[in-house]
Amino acid sequence: MTSRATTAKSRLKASASPAASASQEAAPARAFANKHRGEVLFRVGDQDYKLCLTMNALVEIEDAFGIPLSKLGSALAQPSMKQLRTILGALVRGGGADLTDEELGASPFDIVAASKAVEEAFIAAQVLKPGAPSNDDGDDEKN
């Protein structure tokens, strides 16, 4: 038997061992985003969630901010942590997960990645254009 065949058999044996199968069972399932539906993946703790800007998610965000979609751009540019958690919560629920803002906030996640995922979700839903300035109120004054 060649060393290549021996190595392949060793790998096969290792993957069939009870310890290997137990670790495979313990691994969390990977979620997949449907970009055509405007979904984006975001990792919270050891779980992947789909973020999706649905009508309900948008209404939830508008209600929380007290402003309509047309004025959300500047608020999205530099949200407070509470606003970021609210936006993420609405988008996670839009993606189909049953997770409260408090549960989301209690889980570890990368804040920079969260901001990027929110931006990607709004771009995927064609609410925000890639590279567009976040201040969309049209009142830019030049001195």
Side-chain angles (χ1 to χ4, degrees):
M1 202 185 309
T2 66
S3 68
R4 218 180 244 174
T6 305
T7 305
K9 268 190 171 181
S10 300
R11 273 190 253 149
L12 189 58
K13 244 187 226 181
S15 68
S17 73
S21 58
S23 68
Q24 288 172 352
E25 289 173 18
R30 293 276 299 166
F32 294 95
N34 182 344
K35 298 233 182 221
H36 298 291
R37 192 172 171 249
E39 296 174 347
V40 173
L41 284 184
F42 177 64
R43 182 162 282 264
V44 177
D46 64 350
Q47 178 76 37
D48 286 334
Y49 289 96
K50 288 185 272 187
L51 304 184
C52 188
L53 185 61
T54 61
M55 180 71 78
N56 286 341
L58 186 55
V59 168
E60 191 176 330
I61 293 166
E62 284 182 335
D63 284 349
F65 282 61
I67 54 178
L69 171 64
S70 61
K71 302 289 183 187
L72 274 177
S74 56
L76 291 173
Q78 295 180 339
S80 68
M81 287 299 103
K82 184 177 181 179
Q83 290 171 329
L84 181 60
R85 184 186 71 174
T86 298
I87 296 165
L88 280 172
L91 294 174
V92 164
R93 287 184 289 280
D98 186 20
L99 191 67
T100 67
D101 291 353
E102 290 73 22
E103 291 169 330
L104 179 66
S107 302
F109 63 86
D110 181 334
I111 293 170
V112 174
S115 296
K116 184 175 167 79
V118 165
E119 180 182 10
E120 288 175 7
F122 275 79
I123 290 169
Q126 299 179 355
V127 172
L128 204 78
K129 293 181 182 178
S134 58
N135 186 0
D136 57 4
D137 62 10
D139 293 336
D140 292 341
E141 291 183 324
K142 296 180 181 168
N143 295 354

